[in-house]
Amino acid sequence: MLDDFFIRALLGGIGIALVSGPLGCFIVWRRMAYFGETMSHAALLGISLSLMMDLMPFWGVFAVSIAIAMALYGLEKLDRLSSDTLLGILSHASLSIGLIALGFMAWLRVDVMSLLFGDILSITRGDLALIWGGGILVLGLLLFHWRSLLAATVSQDIASAEGLPTKQANLVFILLIALVIAVAMKLIGALLITSLLIIPAASARQFARSPEMMALLAAILACLSAILGLNMSMIWDSNPGPSIVLGAFMLFLLSLAIAPLVRALRPPQR
């Protein structure tokens, strides 16, 4: 069965979707969409460095994502520029440096379009092992730190007063985002990774009545986005990465349309 490239693409897309949905909920709750965008743009710089040093792209992307996150943390302490300004600077600078570095490596034939928009149809069995292995690790850590992350999202001060390890949980959260971006880079590309984190979570928010329900719905909607996008790609002969994002956007529009009806039919809470 795994000899079929489309089946491998489906399994890879679903594996990433199961992780990106719940993780994306925290990005939506914390209003960190621009942070996720910065991390995904930095992924291209990670690819460039890994090619220069003859390393697996995964390690380069993961290392650069962590470095960008730590640089943002340090710059914010200077209190000279707002966080969104710093994110914009780091985002575009890392993306530009990555593209320039790729241009200098004339001895390599690099498909820039696949780096920017992904190439999910070319994933191998080894990629599937990395996706599902990394996904299990991410979900396990997310579940372990769920209470601390949720409390810190509501109020850092209250969470600290209750003795919850908020600093440790926030660091783990950054590591998880970096890990998901590193794993998902090959599937949907540097420019589209954040969309799979944000759009299903935003759709799930229309219906969820609890954080846990929103995380579950986001995972389901992300999986549906991957399945819908890949099928549209096969039918229209379009790029799979953007097609998956389009599938997520279509589900988001559908959620906006039917959410008022669902809320009207829902029995009132006591």
Side-chain angles (χ1 to χ4, degrees), residues 66-145:
I66 295 299
I68 291 291
M70 294 300 103
L72 176 65
Y73 180 75
L75 290 171
E76 281 184 331
K77 285 189 172 182
L78 298 177
D79 200 25
R80 294 177 183 174
L81 293 172
S82 62
S83 59
D84 62 331
T85 301
L86 290 171
L87 285 170
I89 293 170
L90 292 174
S91 173
H92 295 98
S94 58
L95 179 62
S96 300
I97 294 171
L99 288 171
I100 291 171
L102 286 174
F104 280 133
M105 288 185 283
W107 64 92
L108 288 175
R109 296 185 64 184
V110 180
D111 186 358
V112 176
M113 288 296 290
S114 68
L115 295 178
L116 295 177
F117 301 107
D119 190 12
I120 192 173
L121 297 179
S122 68
I123 66 173
T124 63
R125 295 187 182 189
D127 294 328
L128 284 178
L130 178 64
I131 290 167
W132 282 89
I136 292 171
L137 175 62
V138 170
L139 287 177
L141 289 171
L142 191 61
L143 286 172
F144 183 78
H145 292 281

Side-chain angles (χ1 to χ4, degrees), residues 205-222:
R205 197 172 194 175
Q206 309 296 321
F207 308 101
R209 305 183 78 173
S210 69
E212 292 76 15
M213 183 180 180
M214 180 171 164
L216 178 61
L217 285 175
I220 293 172
L221 289 170

